[in-house]
Amino acid sequence: GYFTEAGGGLYKVINGDFIGELYADLGFGNVKNDYGIGLGSSDLSFTRQSLQPSISYSNEFFYAALSLRISSLYYYSLVSTFIPNRYDREPVEYIQNNPVSLLLEPCITIRGGMEPVKFQYQYVFSKCLNNPGLMLEPLTSNLGLIVNLSSLTKKKPNWKKR
């Protein structure tokens, strides 16, 4: 499967090192599942629209943010083949009967390092507000590496020529 997302945002310095942020994004993706030879498969296509306000603290070496993403997840295409009475068809049928889900996802993000490279850790809780039977991973975390390419191309002033 795949998931592709694009978005944009605004930020405002609130007080010194504290920042208010608001992001919006739109994504689309596809998930294909094969349940074994002769047992069936499923192919789901979906879109996700999100708003994500956050408050963060940032300085030269450290960044921490509390975010709350509010998303609409819409399954617009679902093709499945199952043998009769197959137990794992229930989650797919649930999505067929409930194609729109509203998600609430609070998140903690921490970054540290020196420009142009910083490490990132995120911890995310996911809750479906309107379809309690939707199978989600309730807690996820990830590690990342952020490289600020623009800081690599900026010319440093040559103080010796002045």
Side-chain angles (χ1 to χ4, degrees), residues 9-27:
L10 303 167
Y11 71 92
K12 180 172 175 62
V13 175
I14 298 171
N15 184 8
D17 293 333
F18 289 92
I19 302 166
E21 302 167 89
L22 178 64
Y23 299 96
D25 59 67
L26 174 63

Side-chain angles (χ1 to χ4, degrees), residues 36 46 49 51 59 61 66 71 76 82 85 87 91 106 122 133 142 148 156:
F46 61 92
Q49 304 83 32
L51 281 177
N59 65 32
F61 304 106
L66 294 174
S71 302
Y76 62 87
F82 285 103
N85 300 320
Y87 71 92
Q122 282 187 320
N142 63 70
N148 184 347
K156 308 276 190 259

Side-chain angles (χ1 to χ4, degrees), residues 42-84:
S42 61
D43 186 346
L44 299 89
S45 297
F46 61 92
T47 62
R48 183 180 80 184
Q49 304 83 32
S50 301
L51 281 177
Q52 180 176 315
S54 69
I55 183 96
S56 62
Y57 170 83
S58 179
N59 65 32
E60 186 177 355
F61 304 106
F62 179 77
Y63 171 91
L66 294 174
S67 305
L68 180 64
R69 182 168 58 198
I70 303 159
S71 302
S72 170
L73 185 60
Y74 172 54
Y75 291 95
Y76 62 87
S77 175
L78 195 153
V79 177
S80 64
T81 59
F82 285 103
I83 60 171

